[in-house]
Amino acid sequence: MGRLDGKTAFITGAANGIGYAVAARFGAEGARVAVADRDADAAAKAVARIGDRARAVTVDIADETAVAAAFADLAAAGWAPDTVVANAAVQLLGQDAQVADLDVDVWRRTIDVNLTGTFLTVKHAVRTMLKYGGGSIILTGSPTGLSGEGNEFAAYSTSKAGIHGLTRTTAAAYAPNGIRVNTVVPTYTETGLVTTLSDDPEARAAIISRIPLGRPGTPADVEGIMVFLAGDESAFATGGLFAVDGGMTAL
């Protein structure tokens, strides 16, 4: 038996990186997995790798009509999710900057996807879970939203700080309805989101030097805590921030 037998999960940004790793692990643990991504081809390829317990959902999380339709279509197909991982995000490296140098269009694009997109995902996850008996919502945060670690990325850091606040308010509001909401905080994780940093030896070494365990994170490092928060073992956990950051936020 898997730890997530009987669960149905909806995971955004699940075609690649952390989202894909979590989707594949959830499938291996017995869950049905809706692989949500705005890249339809990449989502289809991810589903092919995960297997017949997965299905692709093409959605732009910054578009409320699209998000609402995705949840409605899943419910109509008997796939109303009891687990939602709001993971999709952008980090506009080379464009994001300290606040005095930040272009407003870069700010808006980052906030539209990372914060508004997460809000819309959570909003329609809650609406679905209110109809179907509760569930677990997991948001992907960042150390940049907790400390000065992201001082060069004002838009990204602010978006992640907002996500941490959204977790607390939503958890408090819907605990009586059996809906749990938590945030996982990975460290610098080498995925396609951060190739600008990972391809720069000096920048990469500087970041790793601030991680006490001495290495970057990998998508696989995040799977276990996500499984825990999705499953019944974490039934009393809500409103929390779960750091999987190699000790970065302990400094």
Side-chain angles (χ1 to χ4, degrees), residues 78-173:
W79 276 60
D82 51 38
T83 303
V84 171
V85 181
N87 170 75
V90 297
Q91 186 168 12
L92 304 180
L93 296 170
Q95 300 176 64
D96 203 346
Q98 293 181 345
V99 70
D101 302 314
L102 180 60
D103 186 274
V104 69
D105 289 336
V106 174
W107 168 271
R108 286 180 178 138
R109 183 180 170 197
T110 303
I111 297 299
D112 281 351
V113 175
N114 294 8
L115 187 53
T116 303
T118 297
F119 154 68
L120 293 173
T121 302
V122 171
K123 174 181 177 178
H124 290 280
V126 168
R127 287 186 172 185
T128 299
M129 291 175 182
L130 288 172
K131 293 179 182 177
Y132 291 93
S136 174
I137 301 172
I138 308 165
L139 285 65
T140 301
S142 170
T144 66
L146 295 171
S147 68
E149 180 62 34
N151 68 83
E152 298 291 331
F153 315 117
Y156 183 80
S157 302
T158 302
S159 73
K160 290 299 184 178
I163 283 171
H164 299 160
L166 181 63
T167 293
R168 292 189 292 271
T169 57
T170 309

Side-chain angles (χ1 to χ4, degrees), residues 41-52:
D41 290 341
K45 290 175 182 176
V47 166
R49 293 194 298 271
I50 294 170
D52 59 8

